[in-house]
Amino acid sequence: MALSKEEREAFLAEPLTAVLGVAAGPERGPLLVPLWYFYEPGGRPWILTGRDSRKAGLIAETGRFSLLVQRLTPTVRYVSVEGPVEESASATAERVREIAGRYLSGEALEQYLASPVAMEESVVIRMRPERWTSSDLGAW
């Protein structure tokens, strides 16, 4: 059963891991990788990735990407959102803390923020959602 707009936005706002999908060129399937993302109901989903990463390069080439977020319990539920890049900008320490803070807290968050991964040159890529697909397979 499809989710309502409010249900899918609330679900997407949960700190779940997304699967990023982006076209990877002719003769290839899409690049599909898990990653952290940020979303607040009514807003624009965004991701943070290394400036020189394959993900960033492919998104820059195609100008669009997809995110799929799912859970298995208590029922199988998913939300997929796809659209063009609305904005791409250098990541600030504030954005890195904001996205990492969705997934980590306390000492784990501070250790991550002090790590080389958090310090690499990153880019924030914001999507303008065009297409949504969602379902709760246990809502019969």
Side-chain angles (χ1 to χ4, degrees), residues 51-87:
R51 177 175 302 289
D52 297 326
S53 69
R54 184 158 184 247
K55 296 181 291 267
L58 290 172
I59 292 170
E61 275 180 39
T62 62
R64 60 189 318 110
F65 63 100
S66 301
L67 295 174
L68 170 67
V69 177
Q70 64 181 346
R71 69 151 199 235
L72 300 177
T73 59
T75 60
V76 175
R77 179 177 273 201
Y78 72 88
V79 171
S80 176
V81 59
E82 184 266 331
V85 172
E86 180 175 81
E87 175 187 29

Side-chain angles (χ1 to χ4, degrees), residues 15-137:
L16 301 166
T17 301
V19 174
L20 169 92
V22 61
E27 311 275 331
R28 297 203 53 173
L31 173 69
L32 301 169
V33 293
L35 51 57
W36 291 348
Y37 70 97
F38 193 91
Y39 180 76
E40 292 178 326
R44 304 285 202 231
W46 59 269
I47 63 167
L48 181 120
T49 189
R51 177 175 302 289
D52 297 326
S53 69
R54 184 158 184 247
K55 296 181 291 267
L58 290 172
I59 292 170
E61 275 180 39
T62 62
R64 60 189 318 110
F65 63 100
S66 301
L67 295 174
L68 170 67
V69 177
Q70 64 181 346
R71 69 151 199 235
L72 300 177
T73 59
T75 60
V76 175
R77 179 177 273 201
Y78 72 88
V79 171
S80 176
V81 59
E82 184 266 331
V85 172
E86 180 175 81
E87 175 187 29
S88 182
S90 293
T92 63
E94 180 183 352
R95 290 286 87 84
V96 174
R97 179 175 282 280
E98 186 174 20
I99 201 165
R102 264 176 67 90
Y103 298 94
L104 304 170
S105 62
E107 185 61 29
L109 175 60
E110 296 310 315
Q111 286 178 0
Y112 174 80
L113 294 173
S115 75
V117 172
M119 300 305 291
E120 73 179 19
E121 280 193 49
S122 297
V123 61
V124 171
I125 305 171
R126 191 175 307 273
M127 174 199 296
R128 181 174 45 83
E130 284 185 342
R131 292 177 192 84
W132 296 81
T133 305
S134 63
S135 187
D136 187 332
L137 302 178

